Amino acid sequence: MKLTIGHLYPDLLNLYGDRGNIQCFRKRLEWRGMEAEVIPFLSGDTIDFSQLDIILLGGGSDREQELVCGHLKNIQQDFKNYVEDGGVVLAVCGGYQLLGKYYKTDKKMIEGLSILDITTEWQPERLIRNIVLDSPLFDTPVVGFENHGGRTYIGSHTPFGKVFYGLGNTGKSGYEGVLYKNVIGTYLHGPLLPKNPQVCDYLLERALKRKYSDNIVLEPLKDELEHLANGYIAGRYSDKKYILKETIKRHI
Amino acid sequence: MKLRSVLAIKCAKCTSYLIKKLNRGSGVTLPGYVARLVDPHILSVMVGMVKEKTIVTMGTNGKTTTNSILYHALEAEGKKVIINRTGANMLNGIISAFVLAADKHCRLDADYACIEVDEIASVNVLPQLKPDCALLTNISRDQLDRFGEVDITFNKLKTAVTSVPDTKLIINCDDVLSYTLASESGNTFVTYGISEQIFDDISRSEIRESIFCRSCEKKLEYDFFHYGQLGIYHCPNCGLKRPEPDFTAADISLEDELYTFSMDGMLIHSTARTPYNIYNTLSAYAALNALEADLAHFQDMIESFDYGNNRESIFSINSARVQLHLAKNPIGFQQKISLVLKDEKPKDIIIQINDTYQDGEDISWLWDVDFQYLADAEAATITTAGTRKFDMGLRLKYEDISCDNTTDLRSTIIERTKRGTGNLYVIVNYSGLYSTNYMLTELEKTQKGGEET
Ligand SMILES: [Zn+2]
């Protein structure tokens, strides 16, 4: 079995170790004896969505997102059809914002793909810290690092997770990211997948089911190191004393 | 001098004395803070007492080494020079350097001041220092969580230099961001650059952002890359192109692991082991020229200069050769991997990654380093340590490179030096540098004293 992963605009959106997410998809397929093909689509390339099983839309600076915006117009309808048809998408940081209707910065209005009914507005104070989520999809915490100036309002959409520690979509809502069909949009980098193999396997399984058969169940891998890395952050922020120390440090 | 400034200096000196007396560390920032509380204008007052010129060094990589070259070059000409200590490059640290250098009459006896300034502090510091020159090494991605993005660093530096329009800039024109910043700033500037391809594939690879023209937003084309976004670029659309540098190093060759190069008519047999240090030398030389400083002893000075700067130290422990290296961002780490690969002997490697505030709490940059090359490093063992040892381990796991991890760095070092390959690399990020250096120094001494652990 084989999955084809499209990495969209790595020449523009390539921040915060997006490559780690790609590598995680690839290796977790290979370790199970399956094949992975990664196709980077540079800005201006034509994209045949029918050949793709997973799409990664990564993060970029506000300036670079604006450049991406122009290219998105050409693929908007195809991308939307792909999502509605159950295509798997992981959109991180800037990529997450671009799934929505718009991203309003202090200077400009960046038009998004309008695939989801979400909007983002920029504020000068950046939301930067480690973050721990409880996601309804998994029985173990999702951990990562957030760093965003945008506040994302997801309306009636389902969030990716509830914020256990950290700031999340708006810094106030108590929720992080968005889930829609087989799309996960999130501010978590770090990168997201290596430390959260449950998320990686969830997306891989969705993609395999869509392409091959509903009966596919991924066999487990030896994930001791993944769990230790995940547990280190989850554990650190379950410690009330540590959180108190951290809070004091941030306010002096 | 105003009474207030005198008082500020005296208070700072008392604070420094107390910190040392109470054994509360080296006290490089608190005296500056106290001085500023007493006299908010103390930095301008102090810098006004510098007899000749003031130069600041900024940028992502290489500023400590470059600043040290400037300092030694001026000292070699018999000048008295004020310099801030490594790491003390925020406002309070810089003030400390000045006030603690004052004599008991609160006077400064200094011809030059060479000050390293952190990008985040530059907006505040530059208007107070009004330096004659500002040297910018490069603008790359570093400690993302402090700045958000490289664009934010760019804007901070731009605000800083435009606030001092009389300051002459010394710019690496191989870095399109630095060159754009200089062109947009309105300040006069001098450029330096290297036109030959000298970096190997490993140090060159990856990390290419900001490769879009900032004026017309078209993708830049490169004849070749040095590393990161540095290289020989041009914009196919608006005509922006890497200029012919005012100062350049040429005929670069590697002899017995050390670089030789020609610069402004001199053939320099340097002690530099990495091409980055050619850049650092070149930039310092360009700046000294711009300052119109004496340079009669420059060649002698640089040929015996220690680029190690305490950042790369070699120890002998249990008859094993132990090297300590600092790698605090992707470009720095890539450089260390390239160094490790040039050593063909079998080796053990320990990598310590911490995530304190000084290190940057976001360690996702580890995924921007091409660790796959370590598979060819002839490493008998690779061990990860530090608060983020599991993340570092994962990074290697996802390149199919096996490693173990340790919570006790000291015992691992002892074990590896006794039973390993006799060739140990210890690579640490920022916060682990001083403690590990101390530990290795102490292990080396203990062993010489005969009481092996
Ligand atoms: Zn252009």
Side-chain angles (χ1 to χ4, degrees):
Chain A
M1 283 184 285
K2 176 184 166 182
L3 292 181
T4 304
I5 301 155
H7 187 186
L8 259 53
Y9 312 132
D11 53 338
L12 282 166
L13 303 175
N14 192 10
L15 262 186
Y16 310 131
D18 284 334
R19 175 161 94 147
N21 289 328
I22 294 280
Q23 191 70 352
C24 197
F25 280 134
R26 185 204 296 270
K27 286 291 169 189
R28 296 184 73 81
L29 284 170
E30 286 177 7
W31 290 336
R32 291 176 168 109
M34 288 179 265
E35 262 183 88
E37 185 188 4
V38 179
I39 308 178
F41 294 99
L42 303 184
S43 46
D45 288 356
T46 41
I47 304 173
D48 175 8
F49 283 82
S50 69
Q51 66 173 137
L52 299 180
D53 305 306
I54 297 178
I55 288 176
L56 180 84
L57 196 57
S61 70
D62 293 351
R63 199 174 58 87
E64 286 158 336
Q65 273 194 59
E66 212 186 307
L67 298 181
V68 170
C69 175
H71 300 289
L72 291 180
K73 285 202 185 93
N74 304 324
I75 60 163
Q76 197 222 356
Q77 198 52 49
D78 289 348
F79 202 146
K80 199 177 166 77
N81 294 344
Y82 169 87
V83 166
E84 292 303 325
D85 184 45
V88 172
V89 178
L90 175 63
V92 183
C93 299
Y96 168 35
Q97 297 168 345
L98 288 173
L99 290 181
K101 290 202 150 69
Y102 61 81
Y103 175 27
K104 206 163 113 195
T105 73
D106 54 337
K107 297 177 201 94
K108 300 215 171 89
M109 184 81 148
I110 301 171
E111 240 181 279
L113 284 160
S114 289
I115 287 173
L116 304 181
D117 193 8
I118 64 176
T119 58
T120 303
E121 283 174 30
W122 179 88
Q123 278 180 30
E125 195 205 346
R126 290 186 78 85
L127 307 178
I128 307 178
R129 63 190 59 185
N130 283 298
I131 176 165
V132 182
L133 305 180
D134 282 325
S135 174
L137 295 175
F138 313 106
D139 43 21
T140 50
V142 176
V143 303
F145 197 89
E146 59 180 326
N147 180 350
H148 48 111
R151 303 325 194 240
T152 299
Y153 302 91
I154 63 166
S156 56
H157 277 295
T158 313
F160 177 41
K162 197 170 180 321
V163 176
F164 176 76
Y165 176 83
L167 296 160
N169 280 338
T170 65
K172 295 190 186 86
S173 70
Y175 291 96
E176 203 287 325
V178 72
L179 274 179
Y180 176 76
K181 297 200 171 205
N182 289 332
V183 178
I184 293 179
T186 177
Y187 277 118
L188 268 64
H189 63 268
L192 174 72
L193 298 181
K195 266 198 298 279
N196 300 289
Q198 73 278 28
V199 181
C200 186
D201 287 355
Y202 168 84
L203 293 172
L204 289 177
E205 203 167 273
R206 290 296 178 117
L208 287 164
K209 283 184 167 154
R210 174 169 174 258
K211 183 166 184 181
Y212 295 102
S213 128
D214 260 343
N215 306 322
I216 288 174
V217 179
L218 285 177
E219 49 180 297
L221 295 170
K222 280 190 187 161
D223 284 334
E224 286 96 347
L225 199 54
E226 284 82 350
H227 294 149
L228 285 166
N230 180 299
Y232 175 71
I233 290 300
R236 192 199 258 187
Y237 295 101
S238 305
D239 179 355
K240 290 222 168 57
K241 268 187 274 174
Y242 187 89
I243 294 177
L244 187 67
K245 241 168 53 189
E246 187 105 318
T247 313
I248 294 169
K249 207 174 68 196
R250 281 181 199 284
H251 287 93
I252 53 170
Chain B
M1 198 186 328
K2 280 196 194 131
L3 186 61
R4 188 164 202 176
S5 308
V6 172
L7 204 61
I9 297 169
K10 298 239 184 232
C11 289
K13 280 179 171 287
C14 281
T15 311
S16 165
Y17 176 78
L18 276 175
I19 293 170
K20 282 189 189 126
K21 199 81 187 161
L22 297 170
N23 219 349
R24 291 295 169 94
S26 51
V28 287
T29 58
L30 194 59
Y33 176 72
V34 170
R36 191 157 57 90
L37 276 189
V38 180
D39 180 1
H41 303 295
I42 189 66
L43 187 54
S44 309
V45 174
M46 298 306 294
V47 79
M49 288 192 273
V50 175
K51 292 190 199 88
E52 296 186 31
K53 306 264 170 78
T54 298
I55 178 162
V56 301
T57 300
M58 304 183 291
T60 316
N61 291 289
K63 53 180 178 276
T64 302
T65 306
T66 304
N67 199 37
S68 176
I69 297 172
L70 289 168
Y71 172 80
H72 284 98
L74 291 165
E75 277 217 317
E77 306 299 333
K79 299 295 182 186
K80 291 187 183 124
V81 189
I82 289 184
I83 186 169
N84 53 336
R85 287 185 46 171
T86 305
N89 58 10
M90 308 294 277
L91 183 59
N92 293 334
I94 293 163
I95 296 176
S96 291
F98 278 97
V99 292
L100 298 181
D103 63 18
K104 60 176 185 285
H105 308 295
C106 297
R107 291 280 157 195
L108 265 190
D109 182 17
D111 303 309
Y112 283 85
C114 298
I115 304 298
E116 173 188 330
V117 182
D118 185 275
E119 296 85 284
I120 224 171
S122 62
V123 177
N124 230 327
V125 170
L126 259 61
Q128 300 184 50
L129 281 180
K130 296 205 171 52
D132 299 279
C133 276
L135 188 162
L136 188 56
T137 58
N138 50 62
I139 306 172
S140 314
R141 200 196 288 188
D142 183 26
Q143 301 185 5
L144 270 171
D145 56 331
R146 286 198 306 156
F147 303 122
E149 290 156 3
V150 73
D151 283 342
I152 298 174
T153 311
F154 180 92
N155 290 332
K156 277 216 186 310
L157 287 169
K158 191 173 163 189
T159 310
V161 302
T162 49
S163 73
V164 285
D166 296 331
T167 297
K168 186 183 269 187
L169 307 181
I170 317 298
I171 292 294
N172 183 344
C173 64
D174 298 344
D175 173 16
V176 65
L177 275 180
S178 297
Y179 180 58
T180 309
L181 185 141
S183 311
E184 288 176 4
S185 71
N187 297 45
T188 54
F189 64 92
V190 169
T191 59
Y192 64 91
I194 297 176
S195 309
E196 354 184 320
Q197 192 158 10
I198 52 164
F199 290 81
D200 58 37
D201 286 343
I202 294 157
S203 39
R204 197 160 47 227
S205 59
E206 280 304 320
I207 326 155
R208 311 233 168 92
E209 55 187 309
S210 340
I211 49 168
F212 286 80
C213 179
R214 290 185 84 91
S215 41
C216 75
E217 304 194 332
K218 282 287 172 313
K219 203 179 289 191
L220 292 178
E221 288 173 3
Y222 278 75
D223 296 350
F224 62 83
F225 284 97
H226 284 308
Y227 66 91
Q229 83 273 12
L230 272 64
I232 312 301
Y233 53 83
H234 67 271
C235 173
N237 186 47
C238 75
L240 167 97
K241 72 185 237 278
R242 183 254 195 190
E244 204 48 52
D246 299 319
F247 290 87
T248 189
D251 313 318
I252 299 167
S253 65
L254 197 57
E255 291 164 21
D256 293 333
E257 297 186 2
L258 303 176
Y259 278 98
T260 293
F261 55 93
S262 63
M263 182 174 81
D264 201 14
M266 296 176 284
L267 183 65
I268 293 174
H269 296 276
S270 80
T271 60
R273 285 169 187 276
T274 65
Y276 301 86
N277 280 326
I278 303 175
Y279 262 128
N280 295 334
T281 308
L282 179 62
S283 64
Y285 186 78
L288 290 163
N289 268 280
L291 289 169
E292 295 170 349
D294 291 336
L295 286 161
H297 301 88
F298 186 84
Q299 183 160 7
D300 284 348
M301 184 283 299
I302 202 70
E303 289 188 341
S304 58
F305 182 78
D306 175 15
Y307 289 96
N309 224 342
N310 216 7
R311 288 178 176 225
E312 286 151 35
S313 315
I314 298 177
F315 303 84
S316 170
I317 300 168
N318 296 320
S319 61
R321 179 183 151 102
V322 182
Q323 300 182 48
L324 176 63
H325 290 276
L326 172 71
K328 60 185 170 75
N329 57 32
I331 286 173
F333 220 128
Q334 208 65 53
Q335 171 191 349
K336 297 304 170 189
I337 291 173
S338 150
L339 198 80
V340 166
L341 285 167
K342 285 198 182 108
D343 177 357
E344 287 167 4
K345 293 185 289 296
K347 57 191 74 71
D348 297 286
I349 301 173
I350 297 174
I351 302 172
Q352 178 180 259
I353 298 297
N354 287 333
D355 66 344
T356 68
Y357 181 73
Q358 291 102 313
D359 296 306
E361 294 170 274
D362 180 9
I363 47 100
S364 58
W365 62 271
L366 289 175
W367 293 84
D368 288 334
V369 180
D370 290 337
F371 279 105
Q372 68 269 28
Y373 294 113
L374 273 188
D376 306 322
E378 300 288 328
T381 63
I382 302 180
T383 307
T384 64
T387 52
R388 290 304 193 98
K389 54 182 173 291
F390 301 129
D391 285 271
M392 185 58 228
L394 274 186
R395 178 68 191 95
L396 295 174
K397 178 178 176 180
Y398 281 83
E399 297 296 346
D400 289 316
I401 297 171
S402 60
C403 64
D404 58 0
N405 57 71
T406 180
T407 43
D408 185 351
L409 183 62
R410 194 170 185 277
S411 341
T412 307
I413 289 171
I414 293 169
E415 205 274 328
R416 290 285 182 278
T417 53
K418 282 186 173 169
R419 278 175 280 278
T421 56
N423 184 20
L424 175 63
Y425 283 81
V426 182
I427 302 171
V428 301
N429 66 340
Y430 196 78
S431 68
L433 183 65
Y434 292 96
S435 57
T436 312
N437 195 19
Y438 180 83
M439 182 197 293
L440 293 171
T441 309
E442 176 247 347
L443 281 172
E444 190 174 49
K445 271 194 212 138
T446 315
Q447 193 220 347
K448 276 185 188 142
E451 27 172 327
E452 288 212 9
T453 333

